């Protein structure tokens, strides 16, 4: 046992004494010690119930003969951090989460880990730690929130964000917005659409690092508690077999996860997180791989923000296993990778089936022939940019317009809500990348304002920052190289013409090379926006968004 490093032998009696100080018996100390990383806090709806999920996990560990030892992990609520300085610290938290779990598991040599998580940066941060440490581990999430209901229709958090723009445009009263805010988020869980949190929880299943149902069973369901207990028991099996994350999360498993990403129309943030997780396992995933898999993988489930369904609908329709079964039968995913069930993918899918053919369509009758995400390149984004093409209106897939240039999200939002953006404008928001932001702020406020004001079929937004999984419309992010590194987005001027061709996977600044060279020669890097503390250190270490914004 790995934990023998701190409990076995004459010289370890002081260590045993410390463990006994917490009430542990010799029997508990002599059993496998299982670290339980718990990101519970009282700030995030997706985390407010993780104390109960963790208790269920610990019960499962004890049932299977292990001793669970819980420790805390930070978590940022992106919704609460949105559109102020707090969002500079959201993506940054992913690295802290991975590092802190590494610290805990090395300082206290656990025999295995259960990672209790939910929400945007917490799930990828925990999976990064699991691949880095490579000791038996399993992830269990708190599950998605139920959708709310407003005026006879299903709503979620994004409905409220878009409501702000609707009020500004006179399409909704402030009293209606207040009523909507009361009911859009009815209880605990990660926000109800296929936003980043639920995207990563579903992909943890597809990757094999979480049990079937992890991504879709509602937070309030008793099945969620049973899943947590099962995860606690299952990690003991993983320990007994010495089945570790790098044996599960192989390259084939990551390709499976990307295929499911495309079939579900997941958040563009997965293009940051999945390569970052893979890198911890020594696997490099290029942006071209995302496009290759997207081209051959149809979009089968159309969930909010782009479509009408929510996570509870996906769960009722068969969940991630049903989606994978559809892809597996079409030979679009591999059945050979192992999963935390201890079985291969093909074995775990044997009894799965689609229970609602409208929520999960067949490969022969998809919502879109290509996957939900596209990587596009051109002279404005030589190293690539990302768009959730399944959430773009048909008329915006190919368009050309004049650049409206802003040096920050706040400037752009003020112009949008102030009525200064017109049809066919292309908003450019720069110096919001990993270094320049710093932290690559999500821009749900301006994109929601565009949609709420009814401009999502005529206005595009480009940025070296990123978007919430709740963003819809022609929102193209992760433009690399970023402006702070002198990328071409730094050279765009007000009124320049930009052409976007999402099907053709191109984005072009319609300015001749000689003029761009003159602008490049005159460009000077700006002063860092944050010059002290963790964010300043992160800015100096972080890589490009095209490389997953990992720290080097």
């Amino acid at each position: 046992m790995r934990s023998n490093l701190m409990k076995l032998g004459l010289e370890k009696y002081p260590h045993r004494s410390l463990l006994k100080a917490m009430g542990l018996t010799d029997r508990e100390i002599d059993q496998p010690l299982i670290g339980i990383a718990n990101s519970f806090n009282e700030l995030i709806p997706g985390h407010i119930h993780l104390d109960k999920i963790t208790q269920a996990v610990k019960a499962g560990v004890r049932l299977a003969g292990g001793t669970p030892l819980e420790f805390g992990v930070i978590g940022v609520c992106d919704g609460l951090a949105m559109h102020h300085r707090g969002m500079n610290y959201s993506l940054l938290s992913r690295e802290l989460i991975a590092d802190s779990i590494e610290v805990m598991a090395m300082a206290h040599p656990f025999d295995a880990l259960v990672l209790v998580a939910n929400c945007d940066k917490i799930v990828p941060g925990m999976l990064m730690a699991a691949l880095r440490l490579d000791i038996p581990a399993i992830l269990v999430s708190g599950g998605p929130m139920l959708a709310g209901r407003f005026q006879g229709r299903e709503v979620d958090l994004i409905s409220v964000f878009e409501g702000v723009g609707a009020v500004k445009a006179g399409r909704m009263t402030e009293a209606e917005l207040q009523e909507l805010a009361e009911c859009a988020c009815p209880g605990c869980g990660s926000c109800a659409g296929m936003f980043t949190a639920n995207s990563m929880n579903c992909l943890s299943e597809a990757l094999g690092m979480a049990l079937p149902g992890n991504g879709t069973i509602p937070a309030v369901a008793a099945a969620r508690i049973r899943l947590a207990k099962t995860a606690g028991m299952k990690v003991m099996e993983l320990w007994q077999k010495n089945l570790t994350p790098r044996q599960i999360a192989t390259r084939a498993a990551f390709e499976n996860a990307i295929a499911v990403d495309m079939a579900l129309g997941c958040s563009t943030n997965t293009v940051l997180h999945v390569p970052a997780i893979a890198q911890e396992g020594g696997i490099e995933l290029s942006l071209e791989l995302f496009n290759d898999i997207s081209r051959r993988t149809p979009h089968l489930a159309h969930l909010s923000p782009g479509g009408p369904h929510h996570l509870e609908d996906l769960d009722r329709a068969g969940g991630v296993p049903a989606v994978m079964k559809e892809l597996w039968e079409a030979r679009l995913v591999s059945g050979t990778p192992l999963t935390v069930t201890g079985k291969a993918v093909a074995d775990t899918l044997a009894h799965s089936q689609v229970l609602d053919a409208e929520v999960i369509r067949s490969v022969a009758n998809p919502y879109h022939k290509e996957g939900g995400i596209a990587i596009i390149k051109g002279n404005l984004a030589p190293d690539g940019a990302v768009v959730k093409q399944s959430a773009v209106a048909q008329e915006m897939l190919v368009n050309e317009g004049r650049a409206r240039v802003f040096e920050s999200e706040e400037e752009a939002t003020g112009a949008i809500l102030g009525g200064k953006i017109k049809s066919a404008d292309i908003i450019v928001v720069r110096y919001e990348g990993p270094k320049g932001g710093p932290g690559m702020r999500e821009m749900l406020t301006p994109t929601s304002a565009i949609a709420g004001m009814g401009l999502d079929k005529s206005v595009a937004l480009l940025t070296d920052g990123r978007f919430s999984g709740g963003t819809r419309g022609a929102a193209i992010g992760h433009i690399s190289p970023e402006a702070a590194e002198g990328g071409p987005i730094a050279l765009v001027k007000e009124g320049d013409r930009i052409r976007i061709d999402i099907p053709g996977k191109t984005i072009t600044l319609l300015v001749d090379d000689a003029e761009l060279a003159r602008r490049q020669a005159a460009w000077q890097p700006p002063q860092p926006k944050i010059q002290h503390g963790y964010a300043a250190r992160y800015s100096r270490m972080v890589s490009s968004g095209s490389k997953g914004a990992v720290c080097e």
Side-chain angles (χ1 to χ4, degrees):
M1 283 192 288
R2 188 171 179 266
S3 61
N4 283 344
L5 291 170
M6 67 175 178
K7 68 186 186 185
L8 190 65
L10 183 68
E11 69 277 15
K12 296 304 191 298
Y13 275 102
H15 303 65
R16 295 179 74 92
S17 183
L18 288 169
L19 292 169
K20 288 186 175 187
M22 296 180 291
L24 294 181
T25 65
D26 281 325
R27 179 175 174 180
E28 288 174 300
I29 294 170
D30 290 337
Q31 291 178 158
L33 302 183
I34 310 301
I36 313 295
N38 178 13
S39 58
F40 164 82
N41 64 43
E42 295 183 342
L43 282 163
I44 310 178
H47 290 219
I48 191 66
H49 63 308
L50 291 189
D51 54 342
K52 299 178 179 65
I53 299 295
T54 298
Q55 288 303 317
V57 167
K58 290 158 77 173
V61 170
R62 291 189 184 102
L63 283 169
T67 299
L69 298 172
E70 177 186 345
F71 62 93
V73 174
I74 65 166
V76 171
C77 179
D78 280 14
L80 293 175
M82 198 72 65
H83 199 57
H84 60 85
R85 179 56 61 88
M87 183 47 73
N88 290 103
Y89 292 84
S90 176
L91 183 59
L92 280 64
S93 71
R94 186 188 72 181
E95 317 307 309
L96 284 181
I97 289 163
D99 290 351
S100 64
I101 294 173
E102 177 192 3
V103 166
M104 290 298 289
M106 295 304 294
H108 317 97
F110 302 119
D111 295 298
L113 285 170
V114 182
L115 308 166
V116 184
N118 228 7
C119 299
D120 297 30
K121 311 310 163 300
I122 299 89
V123 172
M126 287 195 175
L127 289 174
M128 288 168 68
L131 270 290
R132 185 184 302 174
L133 292 161
D134 201 33
I135 62 175
I138 187 169
L139 183 135
V140 57
S141 81
M145 186 185 294
L146 296 175
R149 292 198 67 80
F150 174 70
Q151 296 181 349
R153 61 186 174 91
E154 288 190 346
V155 292
D156 52 45
L157 177 65
I158 306 310
S159 309
V160 189
F161 270 97
E162 294 185 359
V164 175
V167 170
K168 283 287 188 179
R171 302 168 66 208
M172 175 184 280
T173 67
E174 188 171 348
E176 287 177 314
L177 179 59
Q178 183 177 3
E179 181 186 350
L180 172 60
E182 290 284 339
C183 60
C185 298
C188 66
S190 46
C191 297
M194 190 52 79
F195 315 141
T196 308
N198 292 322
S199 295
M200 291 309 304
N201 280 332
C202 288
L203 296 193
S204 66
E205 272 189 64
L207 187 59
M209 287 298 298
L211 293 172
N214 180 73
T216 60
I217 295 172
V220 296
R224 175 61 56 180
I225 299 297
R226 295 195 296 271
L227 181 79
K229 289 180 181 177
T230 303
M233 291 185 281
K234 191 61 67 173
V235 80
M236 296 302 297
E237 290 183 23
L238 298 176
W239 169 74
Q240 289 164 356
K241 296 176 180 177
N242 195 30
L243 184 54
T244 65
R246 294 191 189 185
Q247 295 170 265
I248 292 169
T250 61
R251 184 175 182 85
F254 276 104
E255 292 183 3
N256 280 357
I258 295 171
V260 171
D261 186 349
M262 299 306 165
L264 291 176
C266 289
S267 164
T268 52
N269 281 316
T270 61
V271 181
L272 287 177
H273 298 321
V274 172
I277 297 164
Q279 181 172 299
E280 296 289 354
I283 299 168
E284 182 178 347
L285 302 177
S286 67
L287 291 182
E288 287 72 21
L289 178 63
F290 281 81
N291 258 353
D292 290 344
I293 293 176
S294 182
R295 286 189 184 97
R296 65 176 183 256
T297 308
H299 178 215
L300 304 183
H302 207 20
L303 287 86
S304 175
H309 301 127
H310 290 87
L311 267 290
E312 62 203 78
D313 302 311
L314 180 60
D315 186 64
R316 175 178 48 79
V320 173
V323 174
M324 291 191 75
K325 180 72 169 290
E326 186 69 24
L327 296 175
W328 179 54
E329 290 180 342
R331 298 184 179 181
L332 294 172
V333 295
S334 170
T336 58
L338 292 172
T339 77
V340 290
T341 65
K343 301 176 182 178
V345 167
D347 296 323
T348 64
L349 299 180
H351 301 293
S352 301
Q353 59 180 317
V354 174
L355 302 175
D356 187 327
E358 185 59 24
V359 176
I360 302 173
R361 289 194 176 179
S362 68
V363 169
N365 180 38
Y367 281 100
H368 301 97
K369 291 182 179 180
E370 287 194 5
I373 290 174
I375 307 299
I376 62 178
K377 292 187 175 183
N379 71 342
L380 187 54
D383 293 343
V386 61
V387 61
K388 189 171 184 174
Q389 62 182 351
S390 60
V392 178
Q394 183 68 30
E395 49 266 62
M396 292 298 290
L397 290 172
V398 177
N399 75 96
E400 182 181 316
R402 67 167 185 151
R404 304 297 310 281
V405 181
F406 303 93
E407 309 301 315
S408 71
E409 175 193 359
E410 288 84 357
E411 285 185 21
T413 301
I416 296 164
L417 294 177
K420 297 178 181 178
I421 300 300
K422 307 301 180 185
S423 179
D425 281 350
I426 296 180
I427 300 167
V428 177
V429 185
R430 62 192 180 193
Y431 296 104
E432 291 285 7
K435 291 182 182 295
M440 215 175 183
R441 291 194 294 175
E442 285 189 346
M443 303 203 185
L444 182 56
T445 299
T447 58
S448 294
I450 290 168
M453 296 180 77
L455 296 172
D456 56 301
K457 295 183 179 180
S458 62
V459 170
L461 192 153
L462 317 180
T463 182
D464 53 5
R466 61 195 177 92
F467 298 111
S468 163
T471 290
R472 64 184 175 95
I476 298 171
H478 307 195
I479 289 179
S480 300
E482 62 174 292
E485 292 192 314
I489 189 172
L491 310 180
V492 181
K493 289 187 176 181
E494 184 83 8
D496 284 349
R497 304 293 294 180
I498 296 173
R499 181 170 175 78
I500 299 166
D501 183 352
I502 294 173
K505 309 293 188 292
T506 61
I507 181 168
T508 307
L509 176 60
L510 299 175
V511 175
D512 66 62
D513 292 344
E515 172 60 20
L516 288 177
R518 283 191 291 273
R519 294 181 189 181
Q520 186 77 65
W523 177 81
Q524 294 291 327
Q527 287 293 312
K529 294 178 184 176
I530 299 176
Q531 300 186 28
H532 66 279
Y534 174 52
R537 296 198 305 274
Y538 176 92
S539 179
R540 292 193 294 268
M541 296 185 296
V542 70
S543 69
S544 167
S546 65
K547 297 180 179 179
V550 295
C551 287
E552 296 177 334

